[in-house]
Coordinates of all heavy atoms in Angstrom, one line a residue:
D9 N 0.5 -71.2 45.6 CA -0.5 -71.7 46.5 C -1.7 -70.8 46.4 O -1.6 -69.7 45.8 CB 0.1 -71.6 47.9 CG -0.9 -71.7 49.0 OD1 -1.6 -72.8 49.0 OD2 -1.1 -70.8 49.8
V10 N -2.8 -71.3 46.9 CA -4.1 -70.5 46.8 C -4.5 -69.9 48.1 O -4.4 -68.6 48.2 CB -5.2 -71.4 46.2 CG1 -6.5 -70.6 46.2 CG2 -4.9 -71.9 44.8
D11 N -4.9 -70.7 49.0 CA -5.5 -70.1 50.2 C -4.5 -69.4 51.1 O -3.5 -70.1 51.5 CB -6.2 -71.2 51.0 CG -7.4 -71.7 50.3 OD1 -8.3 -70.9 49.9 OD2 -7.5 -73.0 50.0
G12 N -4.7 -68.1 51.3 CA -3.7 -67.4 52.1 C -2.6 -66.7 51.3 O -1.9 -65.8 51.7
T13 N -2.5 -67.2 50.0 CA -1.4 -66.6 49.2 C -2.0 -65.8 48.0 O -1.7 -64.6 47.9 CB -0.6 -67.8 48.6 OG1 0.0 -68.6 49.6 CG2 0.5 -67.3 47.7
T17 N -8.3 -66.2 52.1 CA -9.6 -66.9 51.9 C -10.0 -67.6 53.2 O -11.2 -68.1 53.2 CB -9.4 -68.0 50.8 OG1 -8.3 -68.8 51.3 CG2 -9.1 -67.4 49.5
E18 N -9.2 -67.7 54.2 CA -9.5 -68.6 55.3 C -10.7 -68.1 56.1 O -11.4 -68.9 56.7 CB -8.3 -68.9 56.2 CG -7.2 -69.8 55.5 CD -7.7 -71.2 55.1 OE1 -8.8 -71.6 55.4 OE2 -6.9 -71.8 54.4
H21 N -13.5 -69.6 54.3 CA -13.5 -71.0 54.5 C -14.2 -71.3 55.9 O -15.1 -72.2 56.0 CB -12.1 -71.7 54.5 CG -11.6 -71.9 53.1 ND1 -12.2 -72.8 52.2 CD2 -10.5 -71.5 52.5 CE1 -11.5 -72.8 51.1 NE2 -10.5 -72.0 51.2
F25 N -17.5 -73.5 56.5 CA -17.5 -74.7 57.4 C -18.7 -74.5 58.4 O -19.6 -75.5 58.5 CB -16.2 -74.9 58.2 CG -15.1 -75.5 57.4 CD1 -14.0 -74.8 57.1 CD2 -15.2 -76.9 57.1 CE1 -12.9 -75.5 56.4 CE2 -14.2 -77.5 56.5 CZ -13.0 -76.8 56.1
Y43 N -10.3 -72.4 64.8 CA -9.9 -72.6 63.4 C -8.4 -72.4 63.2 O -7.8 -73.2 62.4 CB -10.7 -71.6 62.5 CG -10.6 -71.9 61.0 CD1 -11.2 -73.1 60.6 CD2 -9.9 -71.1 60.1 CE1 -11.1 -73.5 59.2 CE2 -9.9 -71.5 58.8 CZ -10.4 -72.7 58.3 OH -10.4 -73.0 57.0
L47 N -6.3 -75.3 61.5 CA -5.6 -75.0 60.2 C -4.2 -75.7 60.2 O -3.6 -75.9 59.1 CB -5.3 -73.5 60.0 CG -6.4 -72.7 59.2 CD1 -6.0 -71.3 59.1 CD2 -6.5 -73.3 57.8
T49 N -4.1 -78.7 60.3 CA -4.4 -79.9 59.5 C -4.8 -79.4 58.1 O -5.8 -78.6 58.0 CB -5.5 -80.7 60.1 OG1 -5.2 -81.1 61.4 CG2 -5.9 -81.9 59.2
T50 N -4.0 -79.7 57.1 CA -4.4 -79.2 55.7 C -5.5 -80.1 55.1 O -5.5 -81.3 55.4 CB -3.1 -79.3 54.8 OG1 -2.6 -80.6 54.7 CG2 -2.1 -78.3 55.3
G51 N -6.3 -79.5 54.3 CA -7.4 -80.2 53.7 C -8.6 -80.2 54.5 O -8.6 -80.5 55.7
G52 N -9.7 -79.7 53.9 CA -11.0 -79.5 54.7 C -11.5 -80.8 55.2 O -12.0 -80.9 56.4
K53 N -11.5 -81.9 54.4 CA -12.0 -83.2 54.9 C -11.2 -83.7 56.1 O -11.7 -84.1 57.1 CB -12.1 -84.2 53.8 CG -13.0 -83.9 52.7 CD -13.2 -85.1 51.8 CE -12.0 -85.2 50.8 NZ -11.9 -84.1 49.9
E54 N -9.8 -83.5 55.9 CA -8.9 -84.0 57.0 C -9.1 -83.1 58.2 O -9.0 -83.6 59.4 CB -7.5 -83.9 56.5 CG -7.2 -84.9 55.3 CD -7.6 -84.4 54.0 OE1 -8.1 -83.3 53.9 OE2 -7.6 -85.2 53.0
R55 N -9.4 -81.8 58.0 CA -9.6 -80.9 59.2 C -10.8 -81.3 60.0 O -10.8 -81.3 61.2 CB -9.7 -79.5 58.6 CG -9.6 -78.4 59.7 CD -9.4 -77.0 59.0 NE -8.2 -77.1 58.2 CZ -8.1 -76.5 57.0 NH1 -9.1 -75.7 56.5 NH2 -7.0 -76.5 56.3
H81 N -18.4 -82.0 53.8 CA -17.4 -81.2 53.1 C -17.9 -80.7 51.7 O -17.7 -79.5 51.3 CB -16.1 -81.9 52.8 CG -15.0 -81.1 52.3 ND1 -14.5 -81.1 51.1 CD2 -14.3 -80.1 52.9 CE1 -13.6 -80.2 50.9 NE2 -13.5 -79.5 52.0
K84 N -20.0 -77.8 52.5 CA -19.1 -76.6 52.8 C -18.6 -76.0 51.5 O -18.6 -74.8 51.4 CB -18.0 -77.1 53.7 CG -16.9 -76.1 54.0 CD -15.7 -76.2 53.1 CE -14.8 -75.0 53.3 NZ -13.6 -75.1 52.4
T85 N -18.2 -76.8 50.6 CA -17.6 -76.3 49.3 C -18.7 -75.5 48.6 O -18.4 -74.4 48.0 CB -17.1 -77.5 48.5 OG1 -16.0 -78.1 49.2 CG2 -16.6 -77.0 47.1
A120 N -0.5 -74.9 42.9 CA -0.4 -76.1 43.7 C -1.1 -75.9 45.0 O -0.6 -75.2 45.9 CB 1.1 -76.4 43.9
S121 N -2.3 -76.4 45.1 CA -3.1 -76.1 46.3 C -3.7 -77.3 46.9 O -3.9 -78.4 46.3 CB -4.3 -75.2 45.9 OG -5.2 -75.0 47.0
T122 N -4.0 -77.2 48.2 CA -4.6 -78.3 49.0 C -6.1 -78.2 48.8 O -6.9 -79.2 49.0 CB -4.3 -78.2 50.5 OG1 -2.9 -78.1 50.6 CG2 -4.8 -79.3 51.3
T123 N -6.6 -77.1 48.4 CA -8.1 -76.9 48.4 C -8.7 -77.6 47.1 O -7.9 -78.1 46.3 CB -8.5 -75.4 48.4 OG1 -9.9 -75.3 48.7 CG2 -8.2 -74.7 47.1
T124 N -10.0 -77.5 47.0 CA -10.7 -78.2 45.9 C -10.6 -77.4 44.6 O -10.6 -76.1 44.7 CB -12.1 -78.5 46.2 OG1 -12.7 -77.2 46.6 CG2 -12.3 -79.4 47.4
N127 N -13.2 -74.6 44.3 CA -12.8 -73.4 45.1 C -11.8 -72.5 44.3 O -11.9 -71.3 44.3 CB -12.2 -73.8 46.4 CG -13.2 -74.4 47.3 OD1 -14.4 -74.4 47.1 ND2 -12.7 -75.0 48.4
K156 N -1.4 -84.7 51.1 CA -1.5 -83.2 51.0 C -0.3 -82.6 51.7 O 0.5 -83.2 52.3 CB -2.8 -82.7 51.7 CG -4.1 -83.1 50.9 CD -5.3 -82.4 51.5 CE -6.5 -82.5 50.5 NZ -7.2 -83.8 50.4
K157 N -0.1 -81.2 51.5 CA 1.0 -80.5 52.1 C 1.0 -80.8 53.6 O -0.1 -81.0 54.2 CB 0.8 -79.0 51.9 CG 0.8 -78.6 50.5 CD 0.4 -77.1 50.3 CE 0.3 -76.7 48.9 NZ -0.1 -75.3 48.7
E181 N 4.0 -69.1 48.7 CA 3.2 -69.8 49.7 C 2.9 -68.8 50.8 O 3.3 -67.7 50.9 CB 4.1 -71.0 50.2 CG 3.9 -72.3 49.5 CD 2.5 -72.9 49.8 OE1 1.8 -72.4 50.7 OE2 2.2 -73.9 49.2
D182 N 2.1 -69.3 51.8 CA 1.8 -68.5 53.0 C 2.0 -69.2 54.3 O 1.9 -68.6 55.3 CB 0.3 -68.0 52.9 CG -0.6 -69.2 53.2 OD1 -0.5 -70.2 52.4 OD2 -1.4 -69.2 54.1
S183 N 2.2 -70.5 54.2 CA 2.2 -71.3 55.5 C 3.4 -72.2 55.6 O 4.1 -72.5 54.6 CB 0.9 -72.2 55.6 OG 1.0 -73.2 54.6
Ligands
XBP1 C1 -5.3 -74.5 52.4 C2 -6.0 -75.6 52.9 C3 -7.4 -75.9 52.5 C4 -8.4 -74.8 52.9 C5 -9.8 -75.3 52.9 O1 -5.1 -74.8 51.0 O2 -5.4 -76.4 53.7 O3 -7.8 -77.1 53.2 O4 -8.1 -74.4 54.2 O5 -10.1 -75.8 51.6 P1 -3.8 -74.1 50.3 P2 -10.8 -77.2 51.4 O6 -2.8 -75.3 50.0 O7 -4.4 -73.5 49.0 O8 -3.2 -73.1 51.2 O9 -11.9 -77.3 52.4 O10 -11.3 -77.3 50.0 O11 -9.7 -78.2 51.7

Side-chain angles (χ1 to χ4, degrees):
D9 164 57
V10 175
D11 293 306
T13 300
T17 57
E18 291 298 352
H21 279 299
F25 278 111
Y43 195 63
L47 264 178
T49 302
T50 57
K53 293 190 286 291
E54 295 79 6
R55 194 165 302 143
H81 190 251
K84 175 264 175 182
T85 299
S121 172
T122 307
T123 194
T124 55
N127 292 349
K156 290 191 165 78
K157 300 173 185 177
E181 271 283 356
D182 72 302
S183 68

